[in-house]
Amino acid sequence: MKNRMKNTLLIIMTVLLCGCSDFFDISNKQTLSQDNFPATLDQVNLVLTSSYAGPYSIGMYSFYWFPMGIYLYDHTTDTYGSYDERGTSMDNYTDINSRYITQMYVDICKWANLSTTALEAIETYRTTKATTTEKTVLDYMRGQALFNRALAYWHAQIFFELKPEGWGFPLFDKVENSLNGMKRKRATTADTWAFVVKDLEEAVPLLKGYNDKYRASEWAAKGLLAKVYMQADYINADYKTKAKSLMEDIINNSGKKLATLDVYHDMFYGNSANEFNSESLYELSMNTNWNQNGPWAGYTTGSGMPMVFAPWYMDLDIRFRPGVEGLVDPLTKARDVITAKKSSEWGNNFIHDANIRRFGFHGIGGDTVPRRTFNKAYVSTQARSNTNYPYRLEDPMYRQNSLDLKNNKDLVDPRIINSAGQPYVDEYMNEKGKITYYDRSSEVNNRPDMLAWQHRKFTNIKGVEMGPALSYGKNQSSDANYPVIRLADIYLLYAELIKDTDPVKALEYVNKVHRRAYGYTPDAASPYDYKSFSDRTKTSDPNDHLANDVLKYERWAELFAEGQWWWDVRRWKIGAAEAAYYKETRHGVITWKGDESYVQPIPQLELERNENIQQSNGYPGVR
């Protein structure tokens, strides 16, 4: 996870390039200006490196993107309370004053602008100073900058309206040197997607033969372009044909293959041995930053996102005196009064209960929250542990029954193990490196109907999100990489693409992904193979619209909590069906409003400072 890009230089260049519009109008040749910068290939690389900074901003993967954004829109997560503006996002109609959507909008614009700045720096150097031998390297640099700009727009689609003639995003196709020039209108959705496609189609040949895992590669660009084609296939009839060709090229020629089951089970938790693995086409490298506590100081090498959805766990060191804390048996109370819960950090979010049922877990331990009572076998003079603890579950078989159910692949999708931690059942490592259990937050003590399973993907399962390394901490700066494009994603998109023309082959690609998850080799038949695309999936609710939709269910289960499902919900236009399935959040009943619920609003701040911007349809504000 060590990012070979020089982070200090990255931050310096970001500050320089995001400064006021007259920054380059400097006549003093001892300072940087258009006349003398970039003067060397290394300086060009500095500007290019700054284009990689975009996803490490506060509004993106260093803080807001999952817990205050995507996870709320697609109901991956629920929150312990109706926190601030997050409540409106959970209701699929975000407040235009939301600080979170405002920061996301700003940071996506910065990301696109940094990439455009890099493109102009590359061309300036090419035409003024480059030697013949440097032009090949400059082509590679251009390919990377084009990829980074396209990736920024891939994330910007949270603002895209679905109709081709609707509003997309402002096109940052050149660096402006005036304030008025920065006040851009939104392009149409069709024109925005065409802009992204053009960037990636140009990037692909420029990146051919390069495979630096920390930078954009040929296969990363092809993978992203294939996903863009699929997202925008309703706009251009040729996109499906082009997507098919790209995906077959990736499948047959990239050398990528699905990771083994052992690697798959460990690729989301910061273990560098299992990141950048055999199925990774592009992932964001994260590295714990011991010099910066959390993401607040700006760009960082690690992520603060897991800090927000950090798991709650059972406090082994709970204060317990038989005549005080142990005076009243919890079973005599109307609800759980045990304060034996700690959070790895903020712990604002938990897995929405409906997701647990969709994985097929229900019945034993799946529909009820167990009660705890005194542990009469507890020995106070001995070290605390899961077995030597002041309290135990009222039902001594609850944990074993839950584990038996969870490990029953006939009933429960095994991908639940990667995705969610069950309170009182699944083990967790605390801040001292001791084994404990996941727990529920104290904030749901008054909700015995809520399961409140904890997030697992991208969390620190061997310690906590805060604290020094010696205490199994991450300094609020997670080192878990984020896969943006991986082969399983491509397999499932390919199956979707050829389902109607070659259903046998399409089902085989779905089964490859399915087999790996169920512990079988991807390339041979298994007892768990789907026989048709309408087979019964694992969701426990027969009225779930994914109950007999194998393709959609597999994309949901395989890519759960990886930030991909909302894009699928949008392109399939299944938002209303999803709202009907999830029903409610801690904010209240989900009210699907129509097409505007697929789209995020242009923030009020942007409406006030840019009189040319158009508000998303269905939201208040200037159009």
Side-chain angles (χ1 to χ4, degrees), residues 161-204:
E161 294 180 353
L162 298 186
K163 295 178 180 178
E165 68 276 12
W167 297 123
F169 207 71
L171 301 184
F172 296 99
D173 54 347
K174 63 179 180 178
V175 176
E176 293 287 356
N177 58 11
S178 70
L179 180 61
N180 285 336
M182 289 298 295
K183 295 180 178 181
R184 302 185 186 186
K185 296 181 178 180
R186 296 168 74 178
T188 66
T189 298
D191 287 346
T192 308
W193 278 125
F195 181 71
V196 178
V197 167
K198 182 176 180 294
D199 273 1
L200 287 169
E201 287 182 340
E202 183 182 348
V204 166

Side-chain angles (χ1 to χ4, degrees), residues 603-618:
Q604 180 67 29
L605 179 64
E606 179 67 3
L607 295 173
E608 293 173 355
R609 66 186 180 185
N610 179 3
E611 63 272 17
N612 298 321
I613 201 72
Q614 310 97 322
Q615 179 57 284
S616 299
N617 189 39

Side-chain angles (χ1 to χ4, degrees), residues 351 406 416-417 419-423 426 438 452-456:
I351 301 292
K406 189 179 302 184
I416 195 174
I417 297 171
S419 302
Q422 185 180 4
D426 291 327
Y438 286 93
W453 288 36
Q454 303 298 304
H455 278 274
R456 270 183 62 82

Side-chain angles (χ1 to χ4, degrees), residues 1-12:
M1 271 151 325
K2 291 183 179 178
N3 195 333
R4 294 187 298 183
M5 300 176 189
K6 304 299 185 181
N7 292 292
T8 302
L9 296 176
L10 179 152
I11 296 170
I12 291 172

